[in-house]
Amino acid sequence: MPEYNIAESVKAQSEYCKTNGAPHFAPRGGSCWKCNKNIYEPIERKFKDYLSGEEKTRTTGITVEEAGSQLVTGCPHCNRSYCD
């Protein structure tokens, strides 16, 4: 099961950027300046699959593992880019 932890994710993203010489695009505390949701928290959304007609659930958010292994360039909740 994916681990979501704001403090650990902020730290992991900062370390990733430092180690890889990458720019730090993600908000320092994790709160998106467009939608005001924290990018490191899971948010579940229900949607209707138009092919099957079934109602499904999708979870957005950045896990600790993702924050420590890839550059965060946008909000997973509202899709706002932080690098344009």
Side-chain angles (χ1 to χ4, degrees):
M1 180 140 205
E3 178 188 357
Y4 292 93
N5 181 303
I6 295 171
E8 289 298 316
S9 294
V10 168
K11 182 179 174 185
Q13 180 64 185
S14 182
E15 288 176 10
Y16 175 85
C17 292
K18 189 177 192 180
T19 301
N20 292 286
H24 194 142
F25 294 118
R28 299 295 175 177
S31 292
C32 175
W33 50 81
K34 182 178 179 202
C35 68
N36 295 316
K37 294 179 174 82
N38 197 296
I39 64 173
Y40 301 118
E41 286 185 322
I43 295 179
E44 289 187 355
R45 295 181 183 183
K46 293 184 188 267
F47 67 97
K48 184 174 184 175
D49 184 326
Y50 290 104
L51 293 176
S52 67
E54 296 177 15
E55 188 171 287
K56 297 185 176 182
T57 302
R58 177 174 180 234
T59 302
T60 58
I62 300 170
T63 65
V64 175
E65 182 181 355
E66 291 169 334
S69 65
Q70 61 194 25
L71 183 61
V72 174
T73 60
C75 179
H77 307 305
C78 71
N79 298 314
R80 171 69 170 107
S81 174
Y82 297 143
C83 58
D84 60 350

